[in-house]
Amino acid sequence: MPDIQRTCKITGKEFVVTEWEQAFLKKMEVPPPTLCIEERHRRRFAHRNERSIYKDKCDLTDRPIISLYSPDKSLTVYSQDAWYGDKWDARDYGRDFDFDRPFFEQFYELQKAVPHMALFNMRGQNSEYCNITNSNKNCYLVFGGDYNEDCIYSVFNMYCKDSSDLYWVNNSELCYDSVDCVKCYKVKYSQNSENCSDSAFLFDCRNCESCFGCVGLRNKKFHIFNKPYTEDEYNKKIALYHLDTWNGVQHMKKEFDKFRLHFPHRDTTIINSQNVSGDHIIDSKNCKDCFDMTGPAENCKDVIFGGWNAHDMLSCNHAGFKSDLFYEMVGSIEGHHNAFCTFSWTCSDNYYCDLVLNSQDVFGCSNMNRAQYCILNKQYSKDEYFDLRTKIVEHMKKTGEWGEFFPMKYSLYDYNETVAQDFFPLAKTEAESLGLRWYEKEQEQLSSNYQIADSIHGVEDDILSQMLVCEKSGRGYKIIPQELKFYKQLQIPIPRFAPEIRNKMRFAARNPRRLWDRDCAKCQAAIQTSYSPDRPEIVYCEQCYLKEVY
Ligand SMILES: [Zn+2]
């Protein structure tokens, strides 16, 4: 079976379906993809709303809720308790399949009728404003992060405590404004660092303590801009940077960005893995074109955010946790042999479903729990199910729908509410020209006369009653008591940008999820790197880089 060359239906770009992919697709009984890797990612991402949340009322209990669905969408939305309760049955929204019409159109009609779970926030304690999370305690505006305590304004933080403004940070405590860090304590404004403490402005450091503005350091103490000092000198010198002030931090951010460019950067971050390609891959084997993979993971391709005990997955996002045989899945965990599903938890042999939990042999269903042999939310006997499923698959082959993920125009969310806008940003006019909806936020032009003190030491509790105005977006934001206490404890100045803008800045600090061909700046070997050739960083191959830092 040689590789197949295909042309993307959207971009016209050539892409390859490898031998491994062909064998995988055969197991899933689906034809080869018609879109390139990027367009497949975009289409799936357009069905994931992570951070756009709204105040609404539960349509079953009338209680106030936080919802993923803006009230103007006129969907039926239930609080999580109501959704899981026995006061309603998703089968009541079941319908016959109409062989005179396309499948996707009928599925979308079902989605618009069936009640939706307001937020995906499992086992949260005092953490109502979190989404796609599990087991958080006293957290506020945490998205996609699990098992955190007292964390705020963070995305994909796991097992963290007393922290704020994190992106993809694990097992850390008292950390602030950091990206891609692991096992850190009292670390601020840092990236790609591990096992560090009492430090700020680190990039790719390991086992460092009391370091400031350092790049690529290993096992060091009292270093400033990669130079050693005595403890006394260190403390006197860093005090001059006035990190308790907003201006001091902004100045240092600019200085550090310039300083970092004098040092080599590793082509990709691949740790303890064999035969893999992509970036930010840990403990994985035979994973190609994968980004943000946390192992154990084996035999995966085109996955962004995945792993945690996963194997045999193709073209998935935010998927894994004890899963195998996943094709074109989003936000899905603990499953076996599923394809084209969004938010499929503990399911097997399901195709084309949206939020179906603890179910098996379900096709084209939405918002069901503990279901079997259902199609468009209608219950069938086992024989009827397999008979009808076969006929629908044949029908979808004729309409060209079989093997395709749900179209973007049938997303329940507007394009700019979804993570597709993070990875593949469009202007409003571009989105609309593609037939996609756009969410218009009420843009009240706010103004405020309130003067925020430059230093955290000058901030009084009256700030808690103020509506602050983001200096970048012009949108209003508030400081909550938990946040002010945290800033005072760690001597962090009040941020002048709204939380979502800050999150976007951290997202932008990470490299894109794609690879470019370049040469190692030291040995000239050909490398693949997530640093595009037009970027200013000095990029080394793994070997040259490790020689440099150890
Ligand atoms: Zn090299």
Side-chain angles (χ1 to χ4, degrees), residues 47-56 65-73 75 77-80 116-121 128 130-133 143 343 345 354-355 367 411-414 417-418 437 439:
H47 293 269
R48 180 183 170 99
N49 173 7
E50 210 169 71
R51 306 187 308 277
S52 304
I53 57 175
Y54 306 90
K55 284 187 174 150
D56 201 358
I65 50 168
I66 310 297
S67 170
L68 278 172
Y69 308 94
S70 62
D72 61 292
K73 291 196 172 58
L75 292 165
V77 181
Y78 289 178
S79 73
Q80 294 190 75
H116 294 269
M117 196 195 284
L119 272 186
F120 308 145
N121 175 347
E128 288 75 20
C130 298
N131 186 35
I132 320 188
T133 51
F143 302 103
F343 301 97
W345 303 337
D354 165 40
L355 196 71
N367 283 267
S411 170
L412 293 170
Y413 315 106
D414 300 345
E417 292 179 303
T418 70
R437 296 183 316 271
Y439 187 72

Side-chain angles (χ1 to χ4, degrees), residues 307-354:
W308 306 284
N309 203 351
H311 65 91
D312 293 278
M313 304 202 304
L314 174 60
S315 297
C316 293
N317 304 108
H318 306 92
F321 280 107
K322 303 179 203 154
S323 297
D324 72 308
L325 289 177
F326 269 16
Y327 179 54
E328 291 247 34
M329 300 285 286
V330 185
S332 297
I333 55 169
E334 293 178 19
H336 165 73
H337 190 258
N338 298 297
F340 314 108
C341 297
T342 59
F343 301 97
S344 163
W345 303 337
T346 324
C347 289
S348 58
D349 307 299
N350 291 359
Y351 278 48
Y352 291 106
C353 291
D354 165 40

Side-chain angles (χ1 to χ4, degrees), residues 520 523 541 544:
C520 168
C523 73
C541 71
C544 292

Side-chain angles (χ1 to χ4, degrees), residues 380-396:
Y380 294 92
S381 72
K382 183 180 175 185
D383 291 345
E384 287 168 342
Y385 170 81
F386 284 109
D387 187 43
L388 183 58
R389 187 191 188 279
T390 306
K391 286 180 184 148
I392 294 174
V393 170
E394 284 311 310
H395 173 76
M396 289 173 75

Side-chain angles (χ1 to χ4, degrees), residues 435-449:
L436 307 173
R437 296 183 316 271
W438 192 261
Y439 187 72
E440 294 283 7
K441 298 178 177 88
E442 324 87 67
Q443 273 292 4
E444 338 132 51
Q445 266 316 310
L446 290 168
S447 63
S448 167
N449 295 325

Side-chain angles (χ1 to χ4, degrees), residues 48-212:
R48 180 183 170 99
N49 173 7
E50 210 169 71
R51 306 187 308 277
S52 304
I53 57 175
Y54 306 90
K55 284 187 174 150
D56 201 358
K57 269 187 174 174
C58 169
D59 287 311
L60 194 66
T61 63
D62 224 25
R63 291 206 185 110
I65 50 168
I66 310 297
S67 170
L68 278 172
Y69 308 94
S70 62
D72 61 292
K73 291 196 172 58
S74 307
L75 292 165
T76 305
V77 181
Y78 289 178
S79 73
Q80 294 190 75
D81 288 347
W83 191 94
Y84 279 108
D86 55 8
K87 299 265 188 312
W88 73 289
D89 188 346
R91 289 167 189 79
D92 293 344
Y93 301 85
R95 56 209 53 210
D96 291 322
F97 188 78
D98 180 351
F99 284 93
D100 292 325
R101 296 169 58 210
F103 165 78
F104 289 138
E105 200 178 286
Q106 298 180 61
F107 182 74
Y108 189 51
E109 282 170 9
L110 166 70
Q111 278 190 307
K112 284 199 285 187
V114 73
H116 294 269
M117 196 195 284
L119 272 186
F120 308 145
N121 175 347
M122 279 160 43
R123 296 184 277 268
Q125 278 182 61
N126 186 30
S127 302
E128 288 75 20
Y129 288 78
C130 298
N131 186 35
I132 320 188
T133 51
N134 184 4
S135 304
N136 286 311
K137 199 174 162 190
N138 305 328
C139 290
Y140 178 70
L141 297 183
V142 166
F143 302 103
D146 305 334
Y147 303 98
N148 300 291
E149 212 174 314
D150 300 304
C151 287
I152 52 178
Y153 310 124
S154 296
V155 176
F156 298 124
N157 50 321
M158 304 275 176
Y159 299 99
C160 289
K161 268 184 90 174
D162 296 306
S163 295
S164 181
D165 289 64
L166 306 179
Y167 193 103
W168 204 256
V169 171
N170 294 340
N171 293 293
S172 295
E173 194 174 337
L174 290 169
C175 289
Y176 179 66
D177 197 4
S178 292
V179 179
D180 287 304
C181 290
V182 185
K183 294 180 192 156
C184 286
Y185 181 79
K186 281 196 179 174
V187 166
K188 299 182 263 191
Y189 317 113
S190 294
Q191 194 168 354
N192 286 14
S193 293
E194 204 176 321
N195 275 315
C196 296
S197 59
D198 295 294
S199 297
F201 298 98
L202 302 182
F203 187 85
D204 194 34
C205 291
R206 304 271 180 281
N207 309 317
C208 290
E209 193 187 323
S210 301
C211 287
F212 181 86

